[in-house]
Structure formats: structure tokens, C-alpha cells
Amino acid sequence: MDRRIYGGSAAINLILSLLFFSATSALSKNQIPSSGSGQINSNSVLVALLDSRYTELSELVEKALLLQTLEEAVGRHNITIFAPRNEALERDLDPEFKRFLLEPGNLKSLQTLLMFHIIPNRVGSDQWPSEESGRVKHETLGNGHLHLSRTKGDDGKKMVDSAEMIRPDDLTRPDGLIHGIERLLIPRSVQEDFNRRRSLQSISAVLPEGAPEVDPRTNRLKKKPAPVPAGSPPALPIQSAMAPGPSLAPAPAPGPGGKHHHFDGEAQVKDFIHTLLHYGGYNEMADILVNLTSLATEMGRLVSEGYVLTVLAPNDEAMAKLTTDQLSEPGAPEQIVYYHIIPEYQTEESMYNSVRRFGKVKFDTLRFPHKVAAKEADGSVKFGDGERSAYLFDPDIYTDGRISVQGIDGVLFPEVEETVESVKKPVKKVVQQRRGKLLEVTCRMLGAIGKDNYFSKCH
């Protein structure tokens, strides 16, 4: 009896041990996946992305705060990333759209854009659909859809929507792979959000108008000035635009050039200086404009504000005749060049017709109030008089409708009016004493009877 009891207790112990072992093993199996999910090792596709050539995309992923979301996605399944090249995000992308993505209030749009480039399964280049199978749709992590296809022809380019895949299987890892594509993929929702924000920004608020002003001279309301037509010359004289301090010139006049349809004065000045250098013989003039002075910048600003200029450019032979005394004074190079710039647009034909018709013509210069005189001589136009004169030597070197450059063979200087002070020498004058009326009558009576000799004061 005792033996049966002992054997039964041993069997019970064995059964309990087996049950405990099975429960422990089942518990350990249930805990293994939960402990391994979300852990990223150094061989992950996310680490490869952050350390790859796609630096612009990896920076956007970090700014969009998507690393934790992508770690969880990689922990659940393999992923395929379509990475745009850096040039597509640096230079090819619209700067206004990139600014829109990086604004803090548009974080959701940036996350949607980046998740649109990732699909939650592994699609290698060898698994790409063929030309016969057509387009294959894949769902993205952002709940969008991408279409993979292959173009017709011998080359058979692999396409992701409308972007060409240029680096198939660029980075391959156990938990995913990365394909390089030529440009950024933009989902429709992000594009619509951007268009909506841009249209709201274009709506300008109504500017408040102040109380009407009364003219104190007439005690009537002042009338608003008439609108200035596009392309009209500036209202202020050019001397006011050159005044030191803040520019008093009006806003740039609308014109054919420039980013905002204004006159691009800086580009035009740079163009005419390059023309001088390529033309040859005017290197000294170009050097003064660019290196010795800041006149090139000032000329560009004036042209951008709607002014026109004619440059009388002395050639290198004429500039070589300048003495050290003429250039050593402070501001001497600027004053010399100012005297060679006419605030009008003149060509060889217009100047020659003027001097033929009117004889001698005086043009205003930027060296106010001095003017440069021009007249006809030897079938050409001669500037100045005497030894300080110069002939029109190379006409119409550069003419673009805003800047005209005319080559001359001498350096011009304004006429100096010599004021000769007349020295007045003192002149001694003999002033005769005035005789009184009574004395004159007496002398006249004595002279009538021949007795005036007796009175000495009558002589």
C-alpha cells in the first residue's frame, strides 16, 4: 500500500514539472518578438540612408521627425525607399515650394511628402514589372499610391510614377533597399495644400487711406497724382538720385529685363564692361570703373532705377597721358569719369545730327554743373576745345537702349574760368575850389570894365 502511494506521488511530481516547463517555454516565445521589435542595428536600411549620398533627403527626414515612425515600420516589415538625387532637392526644386515645406506650420505636408517615397514591402530591380504587365500600383507609408512601370523600347527605363530610376538597388540591406530616382515625387494632397497657401498669400489686404489733404494755398483738396505709365523715365533728376545717403530715386521702372521685369542695371553694366575688354584698347577705363572706384555699382543702380547713360570712354593711349598730379587728388578718378558720363542716351548718329544742325551743343554730365561741349570737325564729332579736346574715335562700341558707349581719343576736362582781378591804381585828381556866386558876379562886372586884374581871386 505504501509503495502505491509513493509511486503515485512521483508521477504527480513529474507531470507538474512538465507543465511548468511547457508554460515557461511558451512565455519565453511570446516575449521574444516584443523585445526585438523597434530595435535598429547598424546594418539597417535607415542607417544606410542617413549615411548615404542622399544627404538632402536624410536631412528632410530628420527635420520631419520621422525616424521613430520609420524604425517601427522597419521592425514590422521590409521597406523600399525611392530617394531623389541631391540636385533635385537643391537646384531643381522650386525655392518657394521648398520654403513652404520647411515652415513649422507645414510639418504634416513634409511628412506626407517623405512617406510618399516609401512602400512597406521589398521591391528590387529584378522584381520590376515588365512592359507587357503594365503599371503596378503599390501603397505607400503615407496611405498614397505609387505606380511602377517600364517604358517601351529597347532601353526599357524603370519608372516610379513620372520619375526615372537612375540608381537601381543602390543600397541593399536585410530590412530594405534604396533606389535612386531623378526627381522628387509630390503627392496631390501636398501640391493642393501648397497652391492653397500660395493663393492666400497673393491676396493683398486693402491699404487704409488717410484723411484727405487740403492745399493751404487754394484751400481745396489735393488731387492724387496721375499714375505713371510703365517704362516712363524717373520723375527726379539724376543729380537727386546720386545724392549721398538714402536713395531719393523712385522705385525701379518696369522694363524688359530683370527677375521682376525691371531694368537689370547691374547685368547691363557688367555686359558693357566685358564688351570694352573684348573690344580692346579700353582696359584702363574698365579698370577705373571696377577696381579703382565703385562707379560700376553706382551706374548699375542708376540704370535699374530707370535712368539712361552715355559713356564717353577714353582709349588706353589717352589714359596713359594722365599725369600723377591729375590722379593723386582725393576723388580725382571719380570726377574724371563723371565728366565723361552723359545722362542721356546718345549714339553716333544722334550726336552727329545735333552738331550738324545746331553747330555747338553742350551736354549735361554727372559732374554737375559742368557740361561737355561738342561740335562738328573733320566729318566727326569733336568734344571740348583746344588741347583738352577729343574726337569720336570708336563709335557705338556698346548700345543696348539703356547704356551707350562711345570711344574717344582723349581725356576731357571741364573748362576752368580764369577770373583776373583788376588792380585799381589810385589816381590823383586836382579838384578846383568852387567859387561862390557873389564872387563870380563881381569878377564878371570887373571884367566888363577891364578892372579884373586888380582882384587876384578872379583868375
Side-chain angles (χ1 to χ4, degrees):
M1 182 176 179
D2 294 333
R3 189 178 304 170
R4 285 197 299 269
I5 296 173
Y6 178 76
S9 63
I12 292 172
N13 290 334
L14 179 61
I15 293 172
L16 292 175
S17 299
L18 291 174
L19 290 174
F20 178 77
F21 178 76
S22 61
T24 306
S25 61
L27 182 62
S28 63
K29 287 181 181 178
N30 292 333
Q31 290 177 350
I32 287 175
S34 61
S35 63
S37 64
Q39 294 180 356
I40 303 299
N41 55 28
S42 60
N43 200 27
S44 173
V45 68
L46 294 182
V47 178
L49 173 65
L50 298 178
D51 195 27
S52 67
R53 63 167 59 92
Y54 306 105
T55 55
E56 291 291 326
L57 180 64
S58 61
E59 288 181 6
L60 290 179
V61 170
E62 293 179 356
K63 291 178 180 178
L65 307 177
L66 284 177
L67 289 178
Q68 184 66 30
T69 304
L70 295 180
E71 287 177 5
E72 296 174 357
V74 170
R76 290 192 298 268
H77 38 62
N78 272 218
I79 63 173
T80 302
I81 302 175
F82 300 102
R85 56 194 179 94
N86 287 336
E87 291 79 3
L89 295 174
E90 285 179 346
R91 295 192 294 268
D92 300 343
L93 192 62
D94 183 10
E96 192 173 348
F97 181 70
K98 189 173 184 179
R99 197 180 310 115
F100 161 78
L101 293 176
L102 297 180
E103 290 179 358
N106 301 326
L107 180 62
K108 187 66 176 177
S109 298
L110 179 59
Q111 292 177 343
T112 304
L113 177 79
L114 296 176
M115 300 284 272
F116 190 69
H117 291 74
I118 305 172
I119 56 178
N121 49 31
R122 190 185 188 94
V123 181
S125 60
D126 55 346
Q127 301 171 328
W128 216 260
S130 62
E131 182 181 341
E132 292 78 13
S133 61
R135 303 173 66 188
V136 177
K137 183 169 67 174
H138 288 270
E139 187 176 357
T140 67
L141 287 182
N143 297 325
H145 293 90
L146 283 178
H147 296 85
L148 308 184
S149 62
R150 190 187 298 265
T151 60
K152 297 180 180 180
D154 298 334
D155 51 357
K157 297 179 181 178
K158 299 179 177 68
M159 305 295 293
V160 183
D161 274 357
S162 59
E164 179 186 354
M165 187 169 66
I166 55 178
R167 291 181 177 273
D169 301 332
D170 194 11
L171 295 171
T172 305
R173 295 295 184 269
D175 55 357
L177 51 87
I178 299 176
H179 300 297
I181 58 177
E182 62 171 348
R183 65 182 186 85
L184 186 70
L185 302 173
I186 302 176
R188 177 170 302 194
S189 60
V190 176
Q191 184 67 46
E192 290 176 353
D193 192 14
F194 170 65
N195 293 338
R196 192 181 309 112
R197 299 287 180 90
R198 182 167 55 180
S199 62
L200 289 176
Q201 289 178 356
S202 63
I203 300 174
S204 58
V206 178
L207 297 177
E209 296 184 359
E213 297 182 6
V214 178
D215 191 348
R217 297 172 300 175
T218 60
N219 291 328
R220 294 183 179 180
L221 295 179
K222 286 185 177 180
K223 295 182 180 179
K224 294 183 179 180
V228 179
S232 59
L236 295 179
I238 195 169
Q239 288 79 15
S240 300
M242 293 176 56
S247 176
L248 299 177
K259 182 179 179 181
H260 301 289
H261 304 289
H262 298 157
F263 296 117
D264 192 356
E266 182 179 353
Q268 289 178 273
V269 171
K270 188 183 298 183
D271 191 20
F272 103 74
I273 291 177
H274 285 169
T275 305
L276 280 180
L277 295 175
H278 290 301
Y279 193 88
Y282 294 91
N283 297 332
E284 296 295 332
M285 184 67 177
D287 186 54
I288 290 179
L289 290 174
V290 177
N291 297 325
L292 294 184
T293 64
S294 59
L295 292 177
T297 304
E298 186 172 1
M299 290 174 64
R301 183 178 62 84
L302 292 174
V303 175
S304 297
E305 291 172 352
Y307 297 96
V308 293
L309 302 173
T310 298
V311 182
L312 304 178
N315 56 19
D316 289 344
E317 295 181 5
M319 298 294 285
K321 297 178 182 179
L322 292 175
T323 62
T324 307
D325 296 336
Q326 292 173 329
L327 295 173
S328 60
E329 297 181 5
E334 289 88 345
Q335 295 301 322
I336 292 176
V337 177
Y338 277 150
Y339 190 64
H340 290 75
I341 300 178
I342 300 172
E344 303 174 19
Y345 187 77
Q346 296 286 345
T347 61
E348 178 203 16
E349 183 180 1
S350 63
M351 288 191 292
Y352 186 72
N353 290 339
S354 298
V355 296
R356 281 286 303 273
R357 181 177 181 182
F358 301 106
K360 189 173 184 180
V361 180
K362 289 189 176 182
F363 296 102
D364 291 328
T365 65
L366 295 190
R367 188 172 176 178
F368 185 77
H370 298 287
K371 298 184 179 183
V372 58
K375 60 182 178 181
E376 182 191 5
D378 302 329
S380 180
V381 181
K382 180 181 179 181
F383 300 95
D385 294 311
E387 298 179 356
R388 296 182 174 182
S389 61
Y391 283 88
L392 185 59
F393 189 69
D394 290 319
D396 297 340
I397 297 177
Y398 179 86
T399 52
D400 65 353
R402 310 297 303 174
I403 301 176
S404 171
V405 181
Q406 308 293 327
I408 58 177
D409 61 354
V411 180
L412 302 174
F413 291 92
E415 298 179 0
V416 179
E417 297 181 358
E418 299 180 358
T419 56
V420 180
E421 296 182 357
S422 59
V423 181
K424 296 182 179 180
K425 297 181 179 180
V427 180
K428 293 182 179 180
K429 293 184 178 180
V430 179
V431 182
Q432 295 183 354
Q433 263 187 340
R434 182 181 175 89
R435 296 179 296 185
K437 284 284 186 182
L438 183 59
L439 183 59
E440 290 182 1
V441 173
T442 306
C443 292
R444 194 177 302 117
M445 293 175 60
L446 291 175
I449 60 176
K451 302 293 185 180
D452 58 342
N453 297 328
Y454 294 100
F455 203 58
S456 62
K457 289 188 178 182
C458 290
H459 298 285

